[in-house]
Every structure is written in C-alpha cells, then in structure tokens.
Amino acid sequence: DAKTTQPPSMDCAEGRAANLPCNHSTISGNEYVYWYRQIHSQGPQYIIHGLKNNETNEMASLIITEDRKSSTLILPHATLRDTAVYYCIVRDRISGGSNYKLTFGKGTLLTVNP
Amino acid sequence: GAGVSQTPSNKVTEKGKYVELRCDPISGHTALYWYRQSLGQGPEFLIYFQGTGAADDSGLPNDRFFAVRPEGSVSTLKIQRTERGDSAVYLCASSLRREADTQYFGPGTRLTVL
C-alpha cells in the first residue's frame, strides 16, 4: 500500500505557482520523499527528492515540514506542459530490503489552465 | 545523454500469442527494473535486475512472464500465451549502481491483447 496521501486533482493558472501537497505521516527516519510526474502517454519523469531539508532544482522546489509528516512540491511558474499526474513516493535509500520497489499511489492530476 | 529507451512503443497482439518487449537502460546503469501500469493506476513493480541476475522477480504475476538481461545491459520482458488482462503499459527504469539510487524511466511499451 502507498504510504502517501495526495489530492486526486488540482488546477492551476498558467504562470502561477503550483503547490502540490503530500501527506506521509508514517514516514520513518531513513525514508526520503521522492516526486515523479507522468505526462499523458509518457513514462514517469523524476523531479526531485529530499530527506528533511528543503531542496530546489531546475524543475521544482520541495518543502518538507519539520516533523517530516508532509511535504509540498512547488512548480514556481506553471506552464501548460506541466499538466501531468504527480506522484509523491517515500522510499528508504539504505541498500538492502526492498527499497527499490517504488510504490506509486494514484497521484495528483495537475491541470494547468491558460 | 540518452535516456532509457523501450521498443516497440506499441504492440498489438492476439490472445495466446508470445511477445517480447525490449529495454535499453541508460549507459552505465547496472540496476534495471520493470513495472506495469494499468489504465488509471500507478506503475506496479514486476522485477529488478542487478547486473545480469534477477535480484527480485516477486512482482511477476505468473509463470507466463519472464525477463532476461544476459549481458547486464539490454533486458527483454517475455510474455507467453498472452491474455487480454495483460494489456497495459510496460515500463522499464534503470538506476546507476545501487537499488537505492534514483530510478529513471523509459517511455513504456503499450501492449494491447485482442
């Protein structure tokens, strides 16, 4: 079972920031938060990941709460091409066990409107 | 550099036929994964290779499914006696070395069994 909870859908106006929430209240100390997105008819695309500090790259920013029970993916200036299903995944990055099995929930369908 | 590639992009077959789906991982990536995605669902893990060996094939649904990676690079997912329920998008991902590393996905192969 997925360890994360995300809203099924969200809308955002083009050019505005898109803030996608994710609840992971049962996250353990070794588990990272990963975000992928899947544009229609394409494979999942890696966006960003983090442990406890906020992270930023050329695609997005990831804000993780201090208690690590939730996080927010921020697309600072959403474009029509950002319309996709966004998946929040928690996984253990310590080798061993079955941490290679990414567990995808149903994600959030973000629709960016003109 | 080049990402994960998968061929064919689409495959239509008849019930009972045999199919092979190919995955070319990112050059230098030693870990390779297969996932399956049914309509409206997130991807589900099938099998994980580290080098040439299948480290975990627990996600394969039954013995009609088999995967190989003979030289530690290209992998082939083989499905015998296809059934209509096998219709899905089959996704391949690779990661650099350890199973804990970030997985990068290919575009997928859409399999339709008539």
Side-chain angles (χ1 to χ4, degrees), chain A residues 34 36 38 40-46 49 87 91-106, chain B residues 33 35 37 40-45 48 55-56 58-59 89 91 98-108 110:
Chain A
Y34 275 74
Y36 283 80
Q38 190 169 24
H40 183 62
S41 297
Q42 297 184 21
Q45 177 188 22
Y46 166 75
H49 72 276
Y87 296 100
R91 67 178 295 222
D92 192 331
R93 275 180 56 106
I94 295 177
S95 294
S98 60
N99 58 351
Y100 45 82
K101 295 182 183 179
L102 296 183
T103 301
F104 291 80
K106 293 194 174 182
Chain B
Y33 318 81
Y35 290 79
Q37 186 171 25
Q41 305 295 318
E44 294 181 323
F45 170 83
Y48 156 51
D56 182 350
S58 63
V89 176
L91 294 160
R98 300 175 302 118
E99 61 274 13
D101 292 334
T102 298
Q103 296 179 27
Y104 297 91
F105 285 80
R110 181 175 299 277

Side-chain angles (χ1 to χ4, degrees), chain B residues 29-107:
Chain B
H29 281 197
T30 62
L32 184 145
Y33 318 81
W34 284 96
Y35 290 79
R36 180 168 74 171
Q37 186 171 25
S38 301
L39 194 63
Q41 305 295 318
E44 294 181 323
F45 170 83
L46 294 177
I47 187 169
Y48 156 51
F49 285 91
Q50 183 57 258
T52 60
D56 182 350
D57 64 358
S58 63
L60 296 178
N62 52 59
D63 60 6
R64 295 186 297 104
F65 289 74
F66 189 72
V68 296
R69 194 185 184 200
E71 298 179 356
S73 178
V74 170
S75 176
T76 304
L77 179 65
K78 308 181 181 192
I79 310 174
Q80 298 177 320
R81 305 182 304 280
T82 52
E83 299 178 355
R84 293 193 179 86
D86 299 335
S87 296
V89 176
Y90 290 81
L91 294 160
C92 177
S94 69
S95 65
L96 185 56
R97 288 181 302 275
R98 300 175 302 118
E99 61 274 13
D101 292 334
T102 298
Q103 296 179 27
Y104 297 91
F105 285 80

